[in-house]
Amino acid sequence: MPTNILMPALSPTMEKGNLAKWLKKEGDAIKSGDVIAEIETDKATMEVEAVDEGILARIVVPEGTADVAVNEVIGIIAGEGEDAKSVSAPAAGGKADAPKAEAAKPEAAKPAATAEQANPKVAAPEASASGYGGSVAGSTPTAPKADGSRPFASPLARRIAREAGLDLSSVQGSGPHGRIVEKDVEAAKKGGGAKAAPTAASAASGPAAAKPAAAPLAAAPSDDAVKKLFAPDSYEEIPHDGMRKTIARRLLEAKQTVPHFYVTVDCELDALLKLRAELNAAAPEKDGKPAYKLSVNDMVIKALALALKAVPDANVSWTENAMLKHKHADVGVAVSIPGGLITPIIRDACHKTLSQISNEMKDYAARAKARKLKPEEYQGGTTAVSNLGMFGVKDFAAIVNPPHATILAVGAGEQRAVVKGGQLAVATVMSVTLSTDHRAVDGALGAELLAAFKGYIEKPMAMLV
Amino acid sequence: MADYDIIVIGSGPGGYIAAIRAAQLGFRTAIVEREHLAGICSNWGCIPTKALLRSAEILHYGQHAKDYGLVLEGSFKADLEAIVKRSRGIAARMNNGVQFLMKKNKVDVIWGEAVLTKPGTITVAPTKKPAMQPQVPPPKNAKGEGTYTADHIIVATGARPRALPGIEPDGKLIWTYFESMVPAKMPKSLLVMGSGAIGIEFASFYRTMGVEVTVVEVMPQVVPVEDAEIGAFARKAFEKQGIKILTSAKVTKVEKGADSVTAHIEDEKGAKQTITAERMISAVGVVGNIENLGLEALGVKTDRGCIVIDDFCRTNVKGLYAIGDVAGPPMLAHKAEHEAVICVEAIKGLHPHPMDKAMIPGCTYCHPQIASVGLTEAKAKAAGHEIKVGRFNFVANGKAVALGEDSGLAKTIFDARTGKLLGAHLVGPEVTELIQGFVVAMNLETTEEELMHTVFPHPTLSEVMKESVLDAYGKVLNA
């Protein structure tokens, strides 16, 4: 029996990924555990290991293919003694490329149509567009997911979404295995983050079709409308990669659904810089190099974690029905990498030493640049730090990254004139701006958190105990 | 380090399931029991009463053998002592089963009554409460009195019969469910106060055994939690069997004779009457066992005789949890079991889904049986739903007719706008085994479309369920 190699889900939320590279050729022998391909997701590149043994009989999805749905057949392994050449096309076919590749090979017996019949997932756009509600006249079709699979939703949730003109693929499911259930759709209807289905948005321009139940957010102008504003050939068109799409989707959602509130404070850095210099000077040697080299940012991470511990009401996440009050301060740190950014997380940062934080950050930054972070290393977290100080930025406001309720935007430490005891003096000052999700962290609470943060920055010895 | 990760107080269906789940998840677990391993459900509730009702059912079939073309020659009669003995034997088997499960899962059994002395600590002493007889002896390897500590303590102490002032059960003339289950002789006449699940099941049992039964219910319908139409249907069936039913009526006073009880009964209009019966059963609900546990000293929040808990069975005191009857209504074994699993899995950090109490089914094993889930028609309307209601009578169900049990009604209630199944209500043969179909449908959030699209096997009683759904949408076939 030939065995299908399926597109793996590298994280619980992964729906599709790019097949970046095949590390084996057709005809290669494969042992269980061999790395056979590399998959690129939104934010990371991961290796696919073989589970079965045999000969790689066929590569179904060629390398470089984007947006391959999870569980799609990407290749076929022929068992021992089987003629790899005679392995026919996969029963569960997939993308448009796959049938094309087969058509070139005369022994590929099954045409694309058969492959589609055999794979209800691929045939789903039709089914999900009509749903079971064939009897509901003029119903708004549920938009199929980009990969053609049907959103995993209860029948009741599907019907309510259809009637409200909601696009189920943008609703977050809270049921078992992320299934979208009635209350998720009800929450989305109330503006809990789902975008209106495209059909509903366009129908809204015709007054007769407007549905009062749905409150569609303003639709962005179409690609063509934007392109028309520029002379042809006056620009180069660069397709979005997974990371760009994720950044766009997440930040649009955050800015549109999270009521932001901003609090700014100036922190004097001289004591912290002095302590940092002393600590770095005292670093023991390890393999001929200092065992650690603390950065200001490492100390900012620790200070924010300790501040959250001191003001636990600010260490929260908003959900529609309850506040999640976190028991650990997990600080995400925005790391700029070519083509975008990623936010690896220092878990339980208030219980880590500065050198632990520093070394962990260095490891994260290096692996982030190589896009080798694991999903569990950048998903979750209870707050985040974004530092643009190294670019000389004085202050800025960052966008909260849900489920976080706060993010701290850190500016450059610079010498400024300050007034001390009625006298002008010079001090190294760093401005920080805390953005809060006002649903979860009110203004005064945000100010309290910043005051605690400032306390640790200006009296940094407290971070060492 | 504490003696245990988890100690469960009470070994009823909530407690022993909590202990098993805890052990499965690798917690060092102990369970405290003062009287009957496996609790009321197995020893003095759900199971032994089902055993009694089964005997009554077979007696009923025997009496109607000729309807099925069978001739019973010679004597065919109830042997009360043997019926009770069988019921007790079954209870003991359940008790031993839990004893086995505790041993298999390496859960320590601590015998005695627990008091929470401080958070995370209990002291166990021999109980002062005389045990209801017959009692299955405690496991041989059970630990005894002493002080035990645990990181997490789950209170699963259950409930006991409610007593109305002036009409307190004495165990001789006025019975609770305990005495009702082990009668030494059949009374000639019986007055049942309360027509909830417990009252009506005993009414059904004793009536089938030939006793003159009167049921007094303070609410306007029997089985008051059920849909009014189901209640009315059941009432007709009970009255046909010869049960006398007084609704909107209250027992105001009882006078005890040498071997009888005289109850003074007043209806809503103030009309009074007295009924004398040999025995009386007080079945006016149950109350949580929250006393003598040390809850007050720890400041545990309680409300109307029950411990207040959150979605994951946590009390307001860290490390203290409550499940089952003692944690509030509905006071049902299956609710307790489900809470047990949620509670322990939440302790483990497994993120269980909270229970939706609106989807807990209820079953009553009188004859005819009653089973339901979700909202009654009245409650659905009160909640503001525009509804579609479907009904189907068992009289048009082939299997029911073949069984000779063609009296029953299936009623379904849908939200007219969304097709959400709001409630399902059944009265009739074996409906307690049918209701689960609707419970699953409700939990999966199916609409009428999926139910209509589902093929139900023929010939089965379950076909009434589908027909009822079809009826709600004007598509009924066999009526």
Side-chain angles (χ1 to χ4, degrees), chain A residues 132 154 156 159 174 179 182, chain B residues 353 418 420 445 448-449:
Chain A
Y132 288 109
S154 81
L156 184 59
R159 181 177 288 177
S174 71
R179 187 175 192 242
E182 182 189 14
Chain B
H353 283 258
T418 61
K420 178 181 182 177
E445 294 193 345
E448 87 289 353
E449 292 244 5

Side-chain angles (χ1 to χ4, degrees), chain A residues 255-277:
Chain A
K255 199 75 184 185
Q256 283 187 332
T257 62
V258 175
H260 280 67
F261 185 87
Y262 308 98
V263 192
T264 305
V265 75
D266 291 343
C267 308
E268 288 190 17
L269 275 191
D270 298 289
L272 182 137
L273 292 173
K274 183 163 170 279
L275 175 67
R276 171 177 168 250

Side-chain angles (χ1 to χ4, degrees), chain B residues 154 277 285 295 336:
Chain B
I154 302 173
L295 297 179

